[in-house]
Amino acid sequence: MTGKLKEMLFKAKSNCYCAFCKSPRRIYRKKNISVMNIFASLMASVVLMFAIWQEFDPRAIIVFVICLAISEVFVQIRWRLAVVCRTCGFDPILYVKDPEAASAKVKLQLDLRKQDPKYLLAKPLNLPAISAEKSKALATKEKGRLVSRSI
């Protein structure tokens, strides 16, 4: 097997950093099912077909589709849960849809972290700092006054 193919088939997690607190973490790369999941669903449906009906039966197609649906749901749930940062609670998908809700979620997570005694001696987070000037500008924000950092 070539290195790239081997990596695609067997490496489920990849290293990355949180976009908010910059803490290193590992997330699942797969968002949808792959050929291996389809093959596993096919094998599961064949095994169930022979276990239930003891011969080839067209109803196994229904079992195959159900196995595919279940595997798709589990892969998407696993990916969705892995995207959220466990350290600061930042959710990039929620941030794209609703930045205020993402901000409230991070604030709640950081408040819980501040009150939890197991984090008293833990390494502090590398949170972004906002200058006093920027804070005043954000407080009196009108449309078009602040320029995004992404430009």
Side-chain angles (χ1 to χ4, degrees):
M1 269 191 182
T2 63
K4 188 75 169 170
L5 180 63
K6 194 176 197 180
E7 182 180 321
M8 285 175 46
L9 290 178
F10 298 113
K11 187 177 179 189
K13 289 186 174 185
S14 64
N15 295 328
C16 70
Y17 294 94
C18 175
F20 186 73
C21 69
K22 298 172 186 66
S23 61
R25 57 200 193 106
R26 294 175 52 91
I27 63 168
Y28 288 99
R29 295 182 310 165
K30 253 178 37 170
K31 189 175 178 179
N32 296 312
I33 60 175
S34 64
V35 175
M36 293 298 286
N37 296 108
I38 294 170
F39 182 71
S41 296
L42 179 68
M43 294 308 295
S45 65
V46 167
V47 167
L48 284 173
M49 175 184 66
F50 281 119
I52 295 172
W53 297 293
Q54 286 87 28
E55 61 183 18
F56 284 105
D57 197 311
R59 290 179 283 189
I61 297 171
I62 296 170
V63 175
F64 173 66
V65 170
I66 290 171
C67 287
L68 278 179
I70 289 171
S71 64
E72 177 73 22
V73 165
F74 278 112
V75 167
Q76 284 190 358
I77 288 173
R78 181 184 70 176
W79 173 78
R80 184 65 180 94
L81 290 175
V83 168
V84 178
C85 180
R86 302 222 189 284
T87 309
C88 67
F90 180 68
D91 187 356
I93 297 166
L94 181 62
Y95 181 76
V96 168
K97 292 181 181 178
D98 188 10
E100 289 80 21
S103 150
K105 188 176 177 183
V106 168
K107 191 176 285 189
L108 177 69
Q109 179 74 18
L110 292 178
D111 289 341
L112 290 174
R113 182 181 168 95
K114 196 183 309 181
Q115 295 171 357
D116 196 356
K118 73 178 181 182
Y119 293 112
L120 285 175
L121 298 174
K123 180 181 170 190
L125 297 177
N126 185 15
L127 298 176
I130 298 176
S131 65
E133 189 177 284
K134 177 96 173 178
S135 177
K136 287 179 188 175
L138 286 172
T140 61
K141 180 180 177 184
E142 292 180 16
K143 203 168 199 171
R145 187 170 282 200
L146 294 176
V147 178
S148 174
R149 289 184 179 182
S150 64
I151 294 178

